[in-house]
Amino acid sequence: MPKYVYDFTEGNKDLKDLLGGKGANLAEMTNLGLPVPPGFTITTDACRSYLADGGFPEGLAEEVDTHLAALEKGMGKRLGDIDDPLLVSVRSGAKFSMPGMMETVLNIGLNDESVVGLAKQSGNERFAWDSYRRLIQMFGKTVLGIDGELFEDAIDEAKRHKGVTNDLDLDASDFRHLVEVYKGIVREHTGGDFPDDPREQMLLAVRAVFDSWNAPRAIVYRRQERIPADLGTAVNIVAMVFGNLGMDSGTGVAFTRDPGSGQQGVYGDYLQNAQGEDVVAGIRNTVPLQELEKIDAASYRQLLDIMKTLEDHYRDLCDIEFTIERGKLWMLQTRVGKRTAAAAFCIATQLVDQGMIDLDEAVTRVTGDQLAQLMFPRFDTGADRRLVAKGMNASPGAAVGKAVFSSERAKEMADAGEDVILVRRETNPDDLVGMIAARGVLTSRGGKTSHAAVVARGMGKTCVCGAEELQVDPQARRFTAPGGVTVEEGDVISIDGSTGEVFLGEVPVVASPVVEYFEGTGGHDDDLVKAVHRIMSHADERRRLAVRANADTPEDAARARRFGAQGIGLCRTEHMFLGDRRQLVEDLILSESDRERDAALDALEPLQKADFTGILEAMDGLPVTIRLIDPPLHEFLPDLTALSVRVALAGDDAGERDRRLLAAVKRLHEQNPMLGLRGVRLGLVIPGLFEMQVRAIAQAAAERRAAGGDPRAEIMIPLVAAVQELEGVREEAERILDEAGVEALIGTMIEVPRAALTAGQIAEAAQFFSFGTNDLTQLTWGFSRDDVEAAFFSRYLDLGIFGVSPFETLDQTGVGRLMKIAVEEGRATRPDIKLGICGEHGGDPESVHFCHDIGLDYVSCSPFRVPVARLEAGRAALTGTGSDSR
Ligand code: PEP
Ligand code: MG
């Protein structure tokens, strides 16, 4: 029989798959001898089995009983005992942290009898009844599915009745009364009584935690964070310790370093006389952790010692949740903490300097996504700005948008294409949809560890929290700032997540220092830039994959080169036929004789040559893969409907050219142009077109060489499906190159499944392959790349057919399989064949790892993604096959 339950003494931090992050780390802390309340973890295996079958797996309930008995023995108390009850919490904890997304129930074990025992044992009647009403409230909402507002309303009513505003002003008899009211709510909404059997409470809570894996907000969060839907959650059952036993008790969170900047120090929040989630929920305002020194010096010192122990042990920033029960410190959670992108880079290099990790490990501690975040623009401090408030700098970035005051509005307006800033007093897990939709989040309450801050940081979304000067009125959809400034829904504001500033109107942005560093225009003296420089240099040293850029202009090529590109992997030539030159393409299409056609091509050739000369110059000494024209020709002609209307309206006065154009547009019209006359097919049916392009390349190269340059053009043929297609084009190209006395590699894209499947043959005629994974994905799945994302991808994501669009991250199982076949068979025919990728996936972190794993020589991506690809290529080399690039 499988083992479903592990005592904290049995686990360790490496068992996250099985015990979830919380359970694994509680076990680790237990084994380090830290003060963790005793408990045990029900595995994710049990959850997966439950979710599949709808019931507990065989033996689970008995195993839980055995562990509970051991816990009771260790604590010298029995769950729900009348005289001295043991109480437990039932806490969710998946492999990846999902803050606030799943359920937790505290104070399990209380009923009408044990509450009396708890009051007696604690000597605090108020505390006992408060704990009991909290249990019914949490249990009612989480396990029994009752609307939480009903309980909130009842407590508000109790306060109103008493004429007080703070929960702390309610006494034991108020809570005793609330318990009765709460039980009435349960009865009314479930038709049954609140279960008073402690064991039943516990098992129902376990079930509710399992079920919460599939709560809508958890599903949304997983999709956003790309967490697989089939992991399931573990459940931790932990002996309760109480932070709400009086002013000598409390609860808090701490970080071993600043998760915003990476600086070492004491960071966190503390709340006296509070329980459980009060701190993270941001409901009451906390005090900075340093103040704990004045409140309880002994616990404070012990906490700092533990923080040091944890940092040394995990060799990384840790975040911690703790509770102090009457002067005794308890650790409730730790994990390697989430941090901002800037902090990730700074911390990684600090740890190197402190001798905790080496540079190889530092490279694996940051991600391409984090680097991409650092490349976003920032607000221009020199601009005219109207500061209206200042809150905490919870998650960096510069966000501008229209203020909205509910998640629904945020989503609606974002769906309509507006940039919005979600403004709330505080957020809760139900705000997730709005947070995802918004450019940034602004709250008036809660600290750096409030829900808004934690979730925004996790998403890399700009957030200013705890801007207490703001009066936020969600009903009236407005906030008021000091001095009477009022911002209504739809008014534009700008929030700076790095400084906590809130500005009225749109503040202009400037390039980030990291981009300036890549551009070579900024200094190296900023700590962040120094850290980025060290890590990037080391990633470059370690990576095996070369990184090239997709660029079609000399300017883009030059920028890509400054960003570290080692050549161009895809120069699309079709963009060179637009604008003024469209006329010449029309001439080509309309030509009715060889003479007319040659004249049109002759007019285009010098223009193309000049394009190529500029690009070869910008990439002098590095390979430049120029792809011959690819899209269907109708893309260069006027729209059929517009042209038909023009000709019809003109009647007999319609010009000859328009008539011919209309005839051509009709002739070239295709039902499925992406599957029609494009790519190599154009070269084979339109005489002279590819030849003109190859001549332009050859002449540009010759001219560059004559000027003392080192041009390294490569000619790439698109959309080849059969070696015969390539052979014809290649022979002609070689002849032209020979005539010009120029050498250039000739290769093809692999973007049609047949090309991948016959790569062994195609390699006979190709000196290189470049995987065009945009088309290869389109053609492998049969998905029109221009239509499907809007049409039905969100449904596919809901159904879990894939976790992320295959146009964003390579579908390794399907498209990747074709790539592997092509790599193997291409190399078998031509061992020195050069292999790269130039589809959008070339700049996607996970796909870069895949390209490393299957042995490509380079990836090519847009210039701005080049640093991301360099970093991920370094990480791929350091972490080896099958790594998790998250
Ligand atoms: C591709 O198909 O992956 C590719 C790079 O070509 P394009 O996107 O221009 O079709
Ligand atoms: Mg393509």
Side-chain angles (χ1 to χ4, degrees):
M1 192 117 81
K3 178 173 165 66
Y4 287 122
V5 184
Y6 285 71
D7 190 83
F8 289 168
T9 54
E10 294 177 295
N12 66 61
K13 70 175 174 17
D14 299 321
L15 293 180
K16 288 197 190 73
D17 284 328
L18 189 66
L19 303 179
K22 188 186 293 242
N25 288 318
L26 280 168
E28 190 77 10
M29 286 200 291
T30 302
N31 296 332
L32 281 172
L34 301 181
V36 176
F40 52 88
T41 304
I42 303 174
T43 63
T44 54
D45 279 346
C47 176
R48 282 190 295 268
S49 167
Y50 170 88
L51 292 175
D53 303 342
F56 282 166
E58 203 189 319
L60 174 61
E62 293 72 21
E63 234 187 301
V64 168
D65 284 341
T66 311
H67 281 266
L68 178 64
L71 179 63
E72 290 177 332
K73 189 151 176 260
M75 298 291 289
K77 295 177 180 206
R78 284 199 11 259
L79 183 69
D81 186 79
I82 300 177
D83 296 320
D84 183 11
L86 167 69
L87 303 186
V88 295
S89 60
V90 174
R91 296 167 182 268
S92 55
K95 175 178 180 186
F96 300 107
S97 139
M98 296 171 57
M101 295 303 140
M102 287 180 302
E103 303 297 1
T104 281
V105 185
L106 306 179
N107 303 337
I108 296 258
L110 281 173
N111 54 32
D112 290 350
E113 291 173 324
S114 60
V115 69
V116 180
L118 182 66
K120 230 182 321 158
Q121 282 300 327
S122 63
N124 186 335
E125 211 182 340
R126 177 187 185 281
F127 153 76
W129 286 97
D130 182 25
S131 301
Y132 191 17
R133 71 90 196 166
R134 282 175 191 253
L135 168 65
I136 304 175
Q137 181 166 356
M138 270 197 198
F139 194 96
K141 180 169 174 229
T142 305
V143 183
L144 304 175
I146 300 170
D147 181 358
E149 292 287 318
L150 295 169
F151 298 106
E152 292 295 343
D153 290 348
I155 201 166
D156 285 345
E157 175 54 33
K159 284 190 274 189
R160 218 176 4 257
H161 182 72
K162 202 170 180 189
V164 298
T165 54
N166 196 322
D167 292 8
L168 290 176
D169 294 325
L170 296 177
D171 63 20
S173 74
D174 298 322
F175 284 125
R176 188 195 300 255
H177 175 68
L178 260 181
V179 162
E180 286 313 310
V181 175
Y182 279 8
K183 283 196 205 160
I185 294 175
V186 169
R187 212 169 296 121
E188 188 182 333
H189 287 86
T190 66
D193 284 329
F194 173 73
D196 57 8
D197 172 21
R199 182 171 177 275
E200 188 188 349
Q201 290 173 357
M202 182 180 71
L203 294 178
L204 285 171
V206 171
R207 225 172 233 281
V209 173
F210 283 163
D211 285 332
S212 69
W213 175 257
N214 282 329
R217 66 186 187 208
I219 293 172
V220 173
Y221 186 84
R222 282 201 293 274
R223 188 176 304 154
Q224 169 79 15
E225 298 293 313
R226 297 189 178 190
I227 295 173
D230 56 1
L231 296 179
T233 180
V235 183
N236 301 288
I237 299 191
V238 194
M240 284 295 303
V241 290
F242 296 98
N244 56 340
L245 268 173
M247 297 312 267
D248 58 354
S249 303
T251 183
V253 295
F255 295 92
T256 57
R257 291 166 199 246
D258 183 347
S261 70
Q263 257 155 31
Q264 275 187 287
V266 180
Y267 297 92
D269 304 295
Y270 184 68
L271 195 56
Q272 264 176 295
N273 198 12
Q275 188 179 29
E277 318 303 301
D278 294 350
V279 177
V280 180
I283 292 166
R284 270 160 56 199
N285 281 330
T286 54
V287 298
L289 186 59
Q290 283 89 332
E291 292 195 18
L292 178 59
E293 187 170 16
K294 281 182 241 138
I295 299 168
D296 180 349
S299 296
Y300 181 71
R301 272 195 304 275
Q302 190 190 358
L303 181 65
L304 293 196
D305 283 348
I306 290 175
M307 283 161 70
K308 166 111 180 54
T309 304
L310 287 174
E311 260 230 355
D312 289 349
H313 184 71
Y314 283 87
R315 300 177 306 123
D316 206 344
L317 172 153
C318 295
D319 76 20
I320 291 162
E321 286 179 23
F322 65 92
T323 278
I324 297 176
E325 180 181 298
R326 292 192 167 150
K328 162 107 180 90
L329 176 66
W330 292 100
M331 305 303 293
L332 298 190
Q333 172 170 314
T334 193
R335 67 186 162 202
V336 167
K338 295 202 179 193
R339 64 207 67 192
T340 62
F345 278 82
C346 292
I347 290 171
T349 52
Q350 282 165 13
L351 292 173
V352 172
D353 292 337
Q354 291 168 3
M356 296 221 243
I357 61 175
D358 60 15
L359 262 172
D360 280 356
E361 192 164 355
V363 170
T364 67
R365 293 277 184 98
V366 295
T367 66
D369 285 340
Q370 287 169 332
L371 182 63
Q373 276 178 39
L374 296 178
M375 294 172 69
F376 287 133
R378 311 202 161 176
F379 287 133
D380 181 359
T381 46
D384 205 9
R385 312 189 301 176
R386 180 145 177 230
L387 184 71
V388 291
K390 194 154 187 286
M392 279 181 233
N393 52 339
S395 180
V400 180
K402 294 183 172 171
V404 288
F405 295 85
S406 74
S407 280
E408 295 75 44
R409 279 301 279 158
K411 172 98 174 57
E412 264 168 45
M413 286 174 63
D415 283 349
E418 308 255 27
D419 288 343
V420 298
I421 306 285
L422 178 64
V423 185
R424 306 280 288 151
R425 281 190 195 135
E426 66 234 348
T427 62
N428 64 47
D430 294 330
D431 284 315
L432 193 64
V433 170
M435 294 180 74
I436 292 171
R439 313 289 305 186
V441 181
L442 168 63
T443 67
S444 58
R445 284 153 70 166
K448 273 195 187 180
T449 48
S450 62
H451 177 268
V454 172
V455 173
R457 264 201 304 279
M459 285 183 194
K461 185 142 297 194
T462 302
C463 175
V464 171
C465 68
E468 289 178 23
E469 307 153 309
L470 300 181
Q471 300 295 324
V472 177
D473 184 345
Q475 259 76 42
R477 302 185 187 181
R478 75 161 76 94
F479 73 73
T480 316
V485 178
T486 301
V487 168
E488 311 270 353
E489 180 180 285
D491 292 348
V492 173
I493 56 171
S494 302
I495 61 170
D496 188 334
S498 311
T499 61
E501 291 164 309
V502 181
F503 303 100
L504 211 54
E506 178 176 345
V507 176
V509 292
V510 292
S512 88
V514 171
V515 168
E516 286 178 342
Y517 153 70
F518 287 130
E519 288 280 12
T521 53
H524 283 227
D525 42 355
D526 178 305
D527 278 349
L528 172 60
V529 167
K530 275 192 219 151
V532 168
H533 173 72
R534 278 175 80 184
I535 288 183
M536 291 303 290
S537 311
H538 196 68
D540 284 342
E541 224 170 81
R542 288 292 192 239
R543 70 189 155 92
R544 183 187 59 69
L545 278 174
V547 176
R548 299 195 194 177
N550 294 355
D552 321 338
T553 63
E555 296 73 37
D556 273 0
R559 155 168 292 154
R561 192 169 190 161
R562 292 194 296 275
F563 280 23
Q566 295 156 289
I568 289 182
L570 173 63
C571 170
R572 291 181 167 101
T573 51
E574 48 269 21
H575 299 153
M576 301 168 183
F577 292 143
L578 298 174
D580 297 345
R581 301 183 194 176
R582 190 190 284 260
Q583 172 82 25
L584 299 174
V585 182
E586 281 180 14
D587 290 348
L588 173 67
I589 296 168
L590 296 180
S591 62
E592 284 174 352
S593 66
D594 290 356
R595 203 178 46 76
E596 276 181 21
R597 189 191 61 226
D598 290 347
L601 289 169
D602 287 350
L604 278 166
E605 192 173 312
L607 303 172
Q608 277 266 271
K609 192 190 91 184
D611 297 330
F612 298 145
T613 311
I615 292 170
L616 288 170
E617 185 174 358
M619 276 289 169
D620 196 55
L622 295 174
V624 174
T625 306
I626 299 171
R627 179 179 75 183
L628 305 187
I629 189 164
D630 177 48
L633 287 186
H634 74 85
E635 287 194 11
F636 302 98
L637 295 176
D639 172 68
L640 173 61
T641 317
L643 188 60
S644 305
V645 170
R646 195 160 85 209
V647 170
L649 287 179
D652 290 345
D653 296 335
E656 173 59 17
R657 187 174 173 95
D658 272 359
R659 284 178 200 283
R660 285 176 62 198
L661 260 180
L662 181 58
V665 172
K666 285 184 175 160
R667 179 165 35 85
L668 290 172
H669 178 77
E670 291 173 310
Q671 293 297 343
N672 291 306
M674 291 301 265
L675 301 179
L677 180 58
R678 56 173 287 223
V680 66
R681 303 160 198 173
L682 286 170
L684 293 173
V685 304
I686 302 190
L689 178 59
F690 275 16
E691 286 86 337
M692 178 279 287
Q693 289 199 292
V694 175
R695 249 189 335 269
I697 294 169
Q699 285 167 12
E703 191 177 301
R704 284 294 310 142
R705 216 171 27 196
D710 178 13
R712 306 214 178 158
E714 300 177 346
I715 296 173
M716 179 155 77
I717 318 298
L719 218 73
V720 163
V723 67
Q724 294 83 348
E725 292 173 310
L726 182 59
E727 275 164 351
V729 174
R730 182 189 149 161
E731 270 166 32
E732 190 59 28
E734 278 176 339
R735 188 184 57 73
I736 296 169
L737 290 170
D738 276 353
E739 270 173 26
V742 168
E743 280 184 13
L745 295 185
I746 299 177
T748 184
M749 298 190 66
I750 301 287
E751 52 182 347
V752 174
R754 192 179 189 284
L757 295 170
T758 59
Q761 292 171 9
I762 292 179
E764 310 246 354
Q767 290 168 296
F768 64 86
F769 287 166
S770 178
F771 289 97
T773 46
N774 303 332
D775 272 307
L776 194 57
T777 301
Q778 158 165 278
L779 295 168
T780 302
W781 281 87
F783 283 160
S784 161
R785 58 198 257 201
D786 299 318
D787 302 309
V788 286
E789 304 222 31
F792 59 83
F793 264 25
S794 64
R795 182 74 187 130
Y796 266 44
L797 290 163
D798 284 343
L799 292 171
I801 293 172
F802 35 67
V804 53
S805 159
F807 288 109
E808 246 173 73
T809 294
L810 239 161
D811 154 34
Q812 299 184 8
T813 323
V815 178
R817 175 118 197 271
L818 286 170
M819 292 172 71
K820 279 192 208 159
I821 292 171
V823 167
E824 244 167 60
E825 299 192 358
R827 282 224 171 97
T829 301
R830 188 187 287 266
D832 65 345
I833 192 167
K834 258 210 271 184
L835 300 172
I837 178 175
C838 63
E840 292 307 305
H841 306 91
D844 168 70
E846 253 177 65
S847 312
V848 170
H849 284 243
F850 179 75
C851 293
H852 170 90
D853 290 346
I854 64 170
L856 298 195
D857 297 307
Y858 68 87
V859 295
S860 187
C861 55
S862 71
F864 256 97
R865 297 296 292 181
V866 164
V868 172
R870 284 166 54 200
L871 177 59
E872 289 294 350
R875 298 183 65 223
L878 287 165
T879 52
T881 307
S883 65
D884 182 351
S885 62
R886 197 194 316 268

